[in-house]
């Protein structure tokens, strides 16, 4: 009998499992479970406790339901026996964190804290810790902290320390009650193995941990807030485990939950973007992968630690052991288009889509594809959810310029697609300008798989060939590969992720090539995008932040939340 491995990918709205044949990388079954509670950004589950602006929470029980439903489903669908499953591993959106007790119980699942917002999971796009992030960056700059350079000059409000500090500032009782504050990816893995094993990937990219230097000093944390002086020892830990290692084995309790056999190997958890790199066969520098979804993450390997302004981070062994792993990102991509169809598309377009047996995205894409480059006269900035790279500023907002009374929805839709492509080009040029080569371009995710117009626009704007992942569940495949590595060669797996990638990672034969005439026009449009980028994003005109402050003040004056 063959050997198999399972990867579970936790996204923003759902979790999915894929069962993979180890010796070929063939995906035999996939199952998806939508989160019961979804993203909570208005109310807690009680329906009464209202959340403030920029909050984004989740319920940890949703994550357990994913394991309970999807793993038995892929076993049943494939006909594979749990006896022949040698490993499992998971990946997650990050930074997604929750406070827990030492026995692993999330505070939100305790009666006394069930109606307290700070007891729940803070999703990656929880931006309400921006004040803490701003203050952290100011203090780090004043102190000349070296770690700041490794994260593009700014720590994001999305990351671990600002979120922890927000809990301390706004809910000290939750901070005090929490024995640990952990990444969701590490917590779910602990539900399989019985022990917390913090991943080097999440610690390095999201919690300011460095393989050589560890966390920032106690003096730094004390400078932030005297109550944070011992935050590492009290709420985090100095014990960090490298990706590619075994986190433990399936416990009896986890076996009952998942249908897997006790003793099945479990890999150290990963981040959804980073785990996708070996799944497309990337194991060497110079090849950048775009993981495209509600947001886009850009991951790239390098041989040396270089300082790239605006990058999300550079972590030794953070993606593939033996290399520096660079990360950058755009926080508004799929969310961008979803906002548009929810708020700006007339009913007549929905009727036309229904009559044409299309969904609204397909109709707008088809109409946008008929437009010539530059025909709409529109240009947009892709900051509807802030800018992650290269400006690292969640307070930036969207711009659409050039609209007239004749502007059509499909023209705006295309301009928004182009804006995200310009943002990616900005990131690529930042890497190149700071000594990190980008010689090849890859893409994965639902957008890359389904939207050929968007991928062609990206190829034209960036003027590079784009290779597309063969798997429709790239992060889950990557996690399955790490599950095979956790099992090891002696149990039918692999001794390294590089070995696994040679067999299990793959891309499609067809690629996107830049169209020369389109690329020439996009060169002109990109030059204008750069001007807007600098004007609104680098302090020359802070109108976006002024408007946001006015809005915030008016909401407070009127007692709205």
């Amino acid at each position: 009998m063959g050997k198999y491995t399972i990867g579970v990918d936790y996204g923003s709205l759902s979790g999915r499992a894929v069962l993979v044949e180890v010796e070929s990388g063939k995906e035999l079954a996939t199952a998806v479970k939508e989160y019961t509670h979804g993203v909570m950004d208005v109310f807690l589950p009680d329906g009464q406790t209202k959340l403030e602006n920029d909050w984004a929470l989740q319920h940890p029980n949703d994550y357990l339901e994913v394991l309970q439903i999807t793993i038995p489903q892929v076993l049943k669908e494939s006909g594979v026996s749990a006896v022949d499953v040698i490993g499992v591993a998971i990946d997650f959106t990050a930074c997604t964190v929750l406070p827990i007790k030492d026995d692993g119980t999330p505070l939100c699942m305790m009666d006394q804290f069930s109606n307290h917002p700070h007891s729940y999971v803070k999703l990656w796009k929880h931006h309400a810790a921006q004040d803490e992030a701003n203050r952290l960056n100011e203090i780090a700059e004043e102190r000349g902290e070296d770690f700041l350079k490794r994260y593009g000059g700014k720590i994001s409000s999305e990351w671990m320390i600002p979120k922890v500090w927000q809990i301390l500032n706004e809910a000290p009782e939750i901070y005090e009650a929490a024995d640990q504050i952990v990444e969701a990816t590490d917590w779910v893995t602990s539900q399989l193995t019985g022990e917390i094993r913090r991943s080097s990937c999440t610690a390095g990219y999201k919690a300011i941990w460095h393989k050589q230097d560890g966390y920032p000093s106690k003096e730094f944390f004390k400078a932030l807030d005297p109550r944070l002086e011992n935050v590492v020892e009290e709420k985090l830990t100095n014990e960090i485990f490298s990706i590619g290692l075994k986190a433990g084995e399936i416990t009896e309790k986890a076996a009952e939950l998942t249908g897997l056999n006790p003793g099945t190997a479990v890999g150290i958890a990963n981040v959804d973007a980073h785990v996708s790199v070996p799944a497309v066969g990337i194991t060497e520098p110079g090849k950048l992968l775009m993981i495209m979804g509600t947001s886009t993450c850009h991951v790239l390997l390098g041989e040396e630690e270089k300082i790239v302004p605006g990058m999300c981070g550079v972590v030794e062994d953070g993606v593939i052991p033996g290399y520096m792993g660079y990360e950058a990102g755009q926080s508004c991509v799929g969310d961008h288009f979803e906002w548009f169809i929810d708020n700006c598309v007339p009913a007549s377009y929905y009727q036309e889509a229904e009559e044409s047996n299309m969904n609204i995205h397909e109709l707008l894409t088809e109409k946008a594809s008929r437009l010539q480059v530059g025909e709409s006269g529109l240009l947009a900035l892709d900051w509807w959810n802030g800018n992650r790279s290269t400006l690292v500023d969640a307070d930036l907002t969207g711009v659409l310029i050039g609209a007239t009374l004749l502007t059509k929805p499909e023209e705006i839709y295309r301009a928004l697609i182009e804006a995200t492509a310009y943002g990616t080009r900005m990131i690529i040029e930042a890497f190149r300008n700071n000594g990190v080569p980008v010689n090849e371009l890859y893409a994965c995710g639902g957008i890359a798989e389904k939207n050929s117009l968007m991928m062609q626009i990206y190829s034209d704007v960036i003027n590079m060939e784009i290779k597309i992942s063969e798997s429709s569940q790239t992060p889950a495949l990557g996690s399955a590969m790490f599950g095979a590595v956790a099992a090891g060669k002696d149990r039918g797996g692999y001794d390294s992720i590089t070995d696994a990638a040679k067999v299990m990672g793959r891309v499609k034969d067809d690629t996107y090539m830049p169209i020369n005439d389109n690329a020439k026009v996009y060169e002109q449009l990109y030059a204008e995008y750069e001007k807007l980028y600098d004007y609104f994003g680098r302090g020359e005109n802070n109108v976006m932040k002024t408007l946001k402050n006015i809005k915030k003040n008016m909401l407070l004056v009127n007692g709205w939340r």
Side-chain angles (χ1 to χ4, degrees):
M1 297 294 292
K3 297 299 181 184
Y4 305 89
T5 182
I6 293 175
V8 185
D9 167 44
Y10 286 88
S12 296
L13 300 174
S14 63
R16 59 203 52 78
V18 61
L19 186 144
V20 184
E21 186 177 60
V22 173
E23 66 180 4
S24 68
K26 182 180 179 182
E27 298 170 31
L28 301 184
T30 300
V32 179
K33 170 67 173 70
E34 300 287 332
Y35 298 146
T36 299
H37 297 87
V39 177
M40 297 180 289
D41 52 11
V42 180
F43 290 100
L44 288 187
D46 62 12
Q48 298 178 349
T49 305
K50 199 165 188 324
L51 301 175
E52 298 184 18
N53 289 329
D54 292 330
W55 277 62
L57 305 180
Q58 291 194 320
H59 199 301
N61 197 59
D62 293 356
Y63 307 150
L64 300 182
E65 289 179 350
V66 169
L67 299 175
Q68 185 179 35
I69 290 172
T70 63
I71 292 180
Q73 191 172 328
V74 294
L75 290 172
K76 182 178 179 180
E77 181 183 330
S78 65
V80 168
S81 169
V83 173
D84 295 313
V85 176
I86 62 171
V88 61
I90 72 158
D91 64 84
F92 229 101
T93 62
C95 178
T96 295
V97 302
L98 68 159
I100 64 172
K101 303 302 288 184
D102 272 335
D103 66 359
T105 303
L107 295 195
C108 65
M109 294 172 72
M110 301 172 66
D111 289 343
Q112 64 265 45
F113 298 124
S114 62
N115 294 329
H116 199 308
H118 279 292
S119 72
Y120 283 81
V121 176
K122 287 181 170 62
L123 186 59
W124 66 268
K125 60 179 178 179
H126 175 92
H127 287 144
Q130 188 61 48
D131 288 345
E132 284 77 9
N134 291 343
R135 185 66 183 136
L136 185 154
N137 290 321
E138 290 171 7
I139 292 171
E141 286 181 8
E142 290 170 1
R143 291 174 52 88
E145 296 284 350
D146 286 340
F147 71 77
L148 210 55
K149 298 175 184 176
R150 293 196 294 269
Y151 298 98
K154 287 183 181 179
I155 301 303
S156 168
S157 63
E158 296 176 3
W159 295 1
M160 172 70 82
I161 302 305
K163 286 175 174 172
V164 170
W165 196 6
Q166 186 196 11
I167 294 174
L168 178 60
N169 282 335
E170 298 179 9
E173 68 277 19
I174 295 295
Y175 184 87
E176 184 64 29
D179 293 320
Q180 298 188 58
I181 300 176
V182 298
E183 282 278 357
T185 195
D186 297 325
W187 180 77
V188 173
T189 298
S190 77
Q191 298 304 291
L192 296 174
T193 65
E195 289 190 82
I196 293 284
R197 292 284 186 268
R198 294 189 189 240
S199 165
S200 62
C201 184
T202 49
Y205 287 104
K206 307 301 179 182
I208 326 181
W209 175 83
H210 189 265
K211 184 178 179 180
Q212 310 301 329
D213 302 337
Y215 288 100
S217 67
K218 287 188 177 186
E219 290 75 20
F220 169 71
F221 286 117
K222 185 177 181 181
L224 296 184
D225 188 316
R227 299 170 296 173
L228 286 175
E229 181 177 4
N230 298 308
V231 64
V232 173
E233 293 78 13
E234 293 176 352
K235 306 301 177 185
L236 309 177
T237 178
N238 283 301
E239 193 174 16
I240 306 297
F241 296 83
S242 175
I243 54 170
L245 295 179
K246 181 177 171 181
E249 297 179 346
I250 294 289
T251 63
E252 293 285 350
K253 182 179 177 181
E256 292 178 10
L257 179 73
T258 64
L260 294 173
N261 279 4
T264 303
V266 180
I268 291 293
N270 219 313
V271 176
D272 53 359
H274 306 73
V275 79
S276 301
V277 171
V280 297
I282 296 176
T283 58
E284 57 190 12
K287 301 178 180 182
L288 184 142
L289 174 64
M290 304 180 289
I291 303 92
M292 307 177 73
T294 55
S295 61
T296 292
C297 190
H298 309 76
V299 184
L300 174 68
L301 301 179
E303 293 182 314
E304 301 176 77
E305 185 176 283
K306 299 285 188 178
I307 301 304
V308 182
M311 67 181 174
C312 296
V314 53
V315 177
E316 185 177 354
D317 302 336
V319 179
I320 298 290
Y323 293 105
M324 295 293 171
Y326 290 88
E327 178 193 353
Q330 293 165 273
S331 51
C332 185
V333 182
D335 275 352
H336 207 196
F337 315 131
E338 208 64 34
W339 163 82
F340 180 70
I341 66 162
D342 286 346
N343 295 281
C344 304
V345 179
S348 60
Y349 274 62
Y350 282 92
Q351 183 177 344
E352 183 180 350
E354 186 176 350
E355 292 171 354
S356 302
N357 198 28
M358 295 178 172
N359 66 43
I360 192 64
H361 284 293
E362 290 170 338
L363 178 70
L364 287 167
T365 298
E366 193 274 331
K367 288 179 176 290
S369 68
R370 299 180 205 162
L371 300 170
Q372 297 298 311
V373 178
E375 180 182 339
S376 70
L378 298 176
L379 187 62
L381 290 176
D382 50 317
W383 299 347
W384 264 248
N385 198 30
N387 178 290
R388 187 180 298 159
S389 299
T390 61
L391 300 172
V392 198
D393 194 338
D395 284 332
L396 296 175
T397 53
V399 165
L400 177 70
I401 192 167
T404 73
L405 295 177
L406 297 177
T407 297
K408 296 181 174 64
E410 59 267 32
E411 293 175 326
I412 299 176
Y413 193 74
R414 180 168 181 137
L416 297 181
I417 292 175
E418 291 168 343
T420 65
Y422 300 142
T424 291
R425 176 169 167 177
M426 183 71 71
I427 288 166
I428 290 172
E429 291 188 356
F431 278 124
R432 288 173 170 165
N433 292 339
N434 290 278
V436 184
V438 180
N439 304 320
E440 295 183 25
L441 191 56
Y442 294 70
C444 68
I447 291 174
E449 182 184 10
K450 299 172 185 176
N451 196 319
S452 59
L453 171 65
M454 186 162 171
M455 300 319 301
Q456 187 60 56
I457 288 173
Y458 270 59
S459 179
D460 293 340
V461 167
I462 302 167
N463 205 13
M464 289 183 71
E465 177 186 16
I466 301 177
K467 300 174 183 179
I468 307 297
S469 171
E470 186 176 305
S471 173
S472 61
Q473 303 291 350
T474 309
L477 172 60
S479 284
M481 292 165 64
F482 275 100
V485 174
K489 190 173 182 179
D490 291 343
R491 295 175 68 175
Y494 297 94
D495 285 338
S496 73
I497 193 63
T498 300
D499 291 342
K502 291 175 183 176
V503 177
M504 301 176 74
R506 55 198 186 277
V507 293
K508 293 180 178 180
D509 292 333
D510 294 333
T511 66
Y512 291 91
M513 297 295 295
I515 299 169
N516 189 49
D517 288 344
N518 291 351
K520 288 180 179 177
V521 180
Y522 277 129
E523 196 68 34
Q524 300 174 55
L525 291 169
Y526 179 72
E528 300 305 317
Y529 174 88
E530 281 187 297
K531 294 174 186 175
L532 291 178
Y533 194 98
D534 291 341
Y535 181 67
F536 288 110
R538 301 191 190 277
E540 187 170 349
N541 188 331
N542 285 320
V543 62
M544 296 173 180
K545 297 180 181 183
T546 301
L547 293 173
K548 226 176 180 183
N549 285 332
I550 292 172
K551 175 183 176 180
K552 182 178 179 180
N553 291 336
M554 290 306 297
L555 289 174
L556 291 173
V557 166
N558 288 281
W560 297 339
R561 290 289 183 183

